[in-house]
Amino acid sequence: MEYTIIDAHAHLWLRQDTVVDGLPVRTLENGRSFFLNEVRQMLPPFMIDGKNTAEVFLSNMDYAQVSAAVITQEYIDGIQNDYLSEVASRYPDRFLVCGMCEFRKPGFLNQAKELISKGFKAIKIPAQRLLLKDGRVMLNSEEMMQLFHLMEEHNIILSIDLADGAEQVPEMEEIIQECPHLKIAIGHFGMVTRPDWKEQILLARHPNVMVESGGITWLFNDEFYPFKGAVKAIREAADLVGMEKLMWGSDYPRTITAITYKMSYDFLVKSSELTENEKHLFLGENAKKFYGFGVLPTLPYIKNMSE
């Protein structure tokens, strides 16, 4: 069975050089980065220059037959707006890119206006990073609500990762009530391995809200492939809100330090816990409709030398 596959959660950057919670994130060599207080394998070791480029990702996408991807952002990678604007310009049929503002301090509304004027179709908020030591940035603050009304007016998609559990869910409920036409994608499958994860999933009961599974193989890394716990969680989420509200995401490239890119979805293709129709919806059809992708390339299967 052939599927239209769209990755709803991936990352690109040229170099990591930033600070999060007062601690550095710096690109090293051989795919490693100094991450907060230790050296971590941020990329596969063959990406020796530390560059996580669109071209390398496209090679992975073509091999894995992934037609398109949503490029999100996170503060641990630094703000990548300039590079992602170039990526969107070069590969408009393969990537939808999210802009990101400096939401950790006031003044982000004007930044968002600039991103919208430059043609960004989505904005990312790594909301789990807003629980700052010197004061929490509330998602329902006055400036945030102005931002969400602006995005709703201009049909800009909100991509957002929430803190573990239900901590930010009441704020999201207020945003959804205030902006019923704001399209929202909840990331990391509600931080599925943490307590109260289903409270985030239940946000997708609202018509304008979807949930994507970026990072689900990371969250179930301890059990590893074929990630039976992840399949079970997807089944549970579908029972709560319907499979038409869920989308596949990989969290590329960090997750492919442990598995290949194709493995980040083929455990679902091979699962008997999902119907063929559910697989089609989850792996690409839902994302195609939600993000508004147009005609997608047909990618042939290339036989491996080991076959």
Side-chain angles (χ1 to χ4, degrees):
M1 183 70 70
E2 293 185 358
Y3 303 92
T4 295
I5 304 176
I6 295 174
D7 190 341
H9 188 126
H11 299 271
L12 296 173
W13 64 79
L14 292 181
R15 184 175 182 83
Q16 293 176 313
D17 185 8
T18 190
V19 174
V20 175
D21 294 330
L23 297 171
V25 183
R26 300 281 187 273
T27 292
L28 300 176
E29 59 183 8
N30 299 331
R32 299 170 185 167
S33 291
F34 190 83
F35 179 68
L36 306 183
N37 57 12
E38 62 181 338
V39 175
R40 299 287 292 271
Q41 194 71 43
M42 189 69 64
L43 301 170
F46 52 79
M47 295 170 73
I48 59 174
D49 61 1
K51 293 182 179 180
N52 172 32
T53 65
E55 288 73 25
V56 172
F57 188 26
L58 281 169
S59 181
N60 273 285
M61 289 168 63
D62 289 351
Y63 170 76
Q65 298 175 280
V66 174
S67 295
V70 178
I71 306 302
T72 183
Q73 296 199 55
E74 226 274 31
Y75 288 130
I76 64 173
D77 305 324
I79 296 176
Q80 301 290 328
N81 294 333
D82 290 344
Y83 178 54
L84 295 188
S85 182
E86 294 176 13
V87 168
S89 178
R90 289 203 301 267
Y91 309 107
D93 60 333
R94 303 298 298 274
F95 295 122
L96 184 147
V97 304
C98 297
M100 186 169 69
C101 307
E102 181 46 272
F103 295 107
R104 294 169 292 186
K105 56 186 180 182
F108 52 79
L109 181 61
N110 286 333
Q111 297 172 32
K113 290 177 180 178
E114 185 176 351
L115 291 175
I116 293 170
S117 71
K118 289 181 176 179
F120 280 89
K121 298 177 181 178
I123 291 177
K124 173 63 181 282
I125 301 181
Q128 78 277 27
R129 304 289 180 191
L130 302 183
L131 308 182
L132 304 172
K133 295 176 182 178
D134 56 352
R136 175 173 171 174
V137 179
M138 301 297 292
L139 295 173
N140 57 354
S141 69
E142 182 179 354
E143 189 173 12
M144 280 287 189
M145 295 307 293
Q146 290 175 341
L147 167 69
F148 298 135
H149 281 293
L150 177 72
M151 292 173 64
E152 183 182 40
E153 178 185 348
H154 289 274
N155 198 29
I156 304 298
I157 297 168
L158 171 62
S159 172
I160 188 165
D161 299 337
L162 300 177
D164 292 1
E167 186 162 4
Q168 293 171 312
V169 167
E171 296 161 57
M172 290 302 302
E173 289 283 6
E174 183 176 336
I175 293 162
I176 293 164
Q177 291 299 323
E178 279 280 320
C179 303
H181 301 294
L182 173 65
K183 297 173 73 172
I184 302 171
I186 307 292
H188 292 161
F189 217 69
M191 294 301 292
V192 58
T193 54
R194 313 294 162 77
D196 297 324
W197 67 278
K198 291 180 182 177
E199 295 301 311
Q200 294 190 34
I201 302 298
L202 287 170
L203 290 170
R205 285 180 169 175
H206 297 281
N208 55 321
V209 181
M210 301 284 284
V211 174
E212 44 93 341
S213 73
I216 200 168
T217 60
W218 152 59
L219 290 161
F220 284 95
N221 183 65
D222 287 347
E223 73 171 36
F224 206 63
Y225 191 90
F227 304 107
K228 292 183 179 179
V231 177
K232 181 174 181 264
I234 293 167
R235 176 79 274 151
E236 291 177 10
D239 291 342
L240 285 174
V241 298
M243 191 62 77
E244 70 277 4
K245 303 294 288 183
L246 309 176
M247 304 180 290
W248 172 69
S250 70
D251 212 5
Y252 174 99
R254 283 178 272 271
T255 48
I256 65 165
T257 57
I259 58 176
T260 67
Y261 184 50
K262 187 173 183 179
M263 287 169 70
S264 64
Y265 76 79
D266 75 350
F267 72 96
L268 296 166
V269 172
K270 295 172 181 174
S271 174
S272 61
E273 299 299 314
L274 305 177
T275 68
E276 281 301 314
N277 182 59
E278 288 173 330
K279 293 174 185 178
H280 278 282
L281 291 174
F282 186 75
L283 290 173
E285 290 183 10
N286 291 339
K288 187 175 189 294
K289 180 179 179 181
F290 180 76
Y291 290 106
F293 283 102
V295 178
L296 297 172
T298 300
L299 302 170
Y301 176 74
I302 305 299
K303 192 173 182 180
N304 290 324
M305 282 295 295
S306 58
E307 293 180 75

